[in-house]
Amino acid sequence: MAISVETFFLSSDNQGTLQAQIQQMIAEGILSGRFRKGEKLPSSRRLAAHLSVSRITVTLAYTELLANDYLTSRGRSGYFVSENAPVPPNFTPPQRGEETVDWSRAIGQRFTGGKVLEKPKDWASYRYPFVYGQTDPSLFDHSNWRLCALQALGQKDFTALTADYFDQDDPRLVEFIARNTLPRRGIIARPEEILITLGAQNALWIAAQILLTQRRMAAIEDPCYYSLSDILQQSRCHVAPVSVDLDGLRPCEIPAETDVIFTTPSHQCPTTATMPMDRRKTLLQHARDIDALIVEDDYEFEMSFLDAPSPALKSLDTDGRVIYVGSFSKSLFPGLRLGYLVGSEAFIREARALRASVLRHPPGHIQRTAAYFLSLGHYDALVRRLREALKERRSVMQNAIDHHGLTVAGKGVFGGSSFWMRAPVKFNMDEVANRLRAKSVLIEPGHHFFHGSEQPNHYYRLGYSSIPVSRISDGVAKIAEALRL
């Protein structure tokens, strides 16, 4: 019995090449039991005509399935489902009864209900997406990333691809960070003082788990990165919010009983304020005076295009007090989930053990791909393109903001990829954001970034990393119109 050609169709939502989509469609049909052993598939000519693709595309998909023993070829008779194809499980799940577990009592610790700044999954379909931290496909070097990924799949890198590092990392990636990335921030570190993490957020979680207990206190910026509040809540430590001004965190307001200070001195999140050198030295001295550690989140230092970035706080540290958090998510792409921790060897030793007990290590193939992308110069070229594009977008956005009389509450001295905005107090920016969404405009309400129960509702953030420069002025005009209403 032949399989009807009408069984096959391609969806516009599918990902990957046409060849890969056809291959996946047939494999799924076999695995689900729709296509049975010995059934004849449509000829490559018929299927190509039906799907409106080239015949060679179908032939290549069939050839790959032949190699994987999903299909077999019988001379001039065509292609058939192989007798050795995977057999779908003959299993009927039991009837589900009514659950008797009282989950309100069974759950010992809750992680829901935290601060989440959700972006629509289809944000790219909006005409004016002033969202933060997303990748602009027109700027990303997809072809070279793909080549590096393929290179990392080669036989020479078989060990990096398949080995269980346990608590170790790809030595090539660690070496590049130590020799190239950190010196740009004025930091000198040995491989034993570097740990690869699943992004900056994972690095912050590891630091909090190691440094904080129920009896210790953490000082955080107010406002600050909203996920940091959730991380500290999970550690059950005491939290002391410290207000920020146009120069960032105010050291004089940090309580004397503080054990760990979390700060973003290069680009304060979310105000984008840059801490000047004098205040950085004051912060370090205050930390020494109260014997506190500092966790420096340097999440966006590569996005400095207005002026050369200031040295990292870690580079000024002479007694091992600062733990440095870096990330490639902002400069490469957020889905990469690759960051790193830099600290004293005693701290990194504990961080390495904690990471190994939870997730072993970030995938070896991802680490090796990133190592190639960095070492072959593609990363530096990408960062240069990003800086040029962001500089142009920022200039256009600043002019549009000034033209429409909107108020900037904070803007980075050295660059960045967003503006921290303030509307009149009477506005609830959640409501304004909902109205703007209907006009294909996305903005980020700012109350998530503030600590405590009485969070101001009239702040908002405008990112410009993912919106074409030609649409910025019209988008800002629509925001201004919504605020006039």
Side-chain angles (χ1 to χ4, degrees), residues 383-415:
V383 168
R384 285 195 295 271
R385 285 198 301 275
L386 286 172
R387 287 173 177 168
E388 291 173 2
L390 292 177
K391 184 176 182 179
E392 180 185 13
R393 294 176 190 185
R394 181 185 180 86
S395 176
V396 172
M397 196 160 179
Q398 181 70 70
N399 291 336
I401 288 171
D402 294 343
H403 177 74
H404 292 285
L406 300 180
T407 302
V408 177
K411 55 182 178 180
V413 176
F414 296 96

Side-chain angles (χ1 to χ4, degrees), residues 229-436:
S229 298
D230 294 337
I231 289 171
L232 297 181
Q233 184 177 355
Q234 293 168 16
S235 71
R236 301 182 180 181
C237 67
H238 302 283
V239 177
V242 179
S243 61
V244 301
D245 58 20
L246 293 178
D247 290 331
L249 181 70
R250 297 166 59 88
C252 60
E253 296 185 10
I254 298 173
E257 58 270 27
T258 298
D259 296 287
V260 185
I261 303 165
F262 289 85
T263 182
T264 51
S266 294
H267 289 101
Q268 201 279 328
C269 178
T271 70
T272 73
T274 300
M275 187 180 291
M277 186 61 68
D278 287 345
R279 182 172 290 192
R280 294 182 188 222
K281 294 178 179 178
T282 301
L283 175 59
L284 277 171
Q285 186 58 53
H286 185 69
R288 291 190 191 100
D289 293 341
I290 64 176
D291 195 23
L293 298 172
I294 299 175
V295 177
E296 176 186 13
D297 184 0
D298 203 13
Y299 65 99
E300 206 178 39
F301 90 87
E302 294 281 23
M303 299 301 103
S304 297
F305 50 80
L306 297 180
D307 203 347
S310 298
L313 199 64
K314 175 69 175 171
S315 70
L316 307 174
D317 175 30
T318 57
D319 50 3
R321 192 170 300 279
V322 178
I323 295 164
Y324 182 86
V325 175
S327 173
F328 295 112
S329 295
K330 296 296 182 292
S331 48
L332 282 174
F333 52 92
L336 180 65
R337 308 313 311 146
L338 211 57
Y340 49 93
L341 272 168
V342 183
S344 297
E345 189 172 347
F347 168 78
I348 293 297
R349 187 184 306 117
E350 296 301 319
R352 193 178 301 282
L354 174 60
R355 190 195 66 178
S357 69
V358 177
L359 53 85
R360 296 272 184 162
H361 57 82
H365 179 248
I366 294 297
Q367 291 196 55
R368 182 54 58 92
T369 300
Y372 279 137
F373 195 79
L374 294 165
S375 62
L376 293 174
H378 304 312
Y379 178 74
D380 288 337
L382 173 62
V383 168
R384 285 195 295 271
R385 285 198 301 275
L386 286 172
R387 287 173 177 168
E388 291 173 2
L390 292 177
K391 184 176 182 179
E392 180 185 13
R393 294 176 190 185
R394 181 185 180 86
S395 176
V396 172
M397 196 160 179
Q398 181 70 70
N399 291 336
I401 288 171
D402 294 343
H403 177 74
H404 292 285
L406 300 180
T407 302
V408 177
K411 55 182 178 180
V413 176
F414 296 96
S417 58
S418 65
F419 282 91
W420 180 241
M421 307 293 293
R422 182 177 64 246
V425 178
K426 64 181 178 180
F427 284 98
N428 183 323
M429 293 311 296
D430 274 319
E431 297 175 358
V432 175
N434 288 332
R435 293 202 302 270
L436 285 170

Side-chain angles (χ1 to χ4, degrees), residues 73 353 433:
S73 176

Side-chain angles (χ1 to χ4, degrees), residues 166-186:
F166 182 55
D167 64 350
Q168 298 300 305
D169 290 306
D170 188 320
R172 288 195 179 188
L173 180 58
V174 172
E175 181 182 9
F176 186 89
I177 292 172
R179 291 193 176 188
N180 295 271
T181 304
L182 294 179
R184 297 180 188 180
R185 306 296 294 125

Side-chain angles (χ1 to χ4, degrees), residues 109-122:
Q109 186 173 351
R110 297 185 182 276
F111 299 94
T112 56
K115 296 180 179 180
V116 179
L117 189 56
E118 292 186 353
K119 299 178 179 69
K121 292 182 179 179
D122 61 341

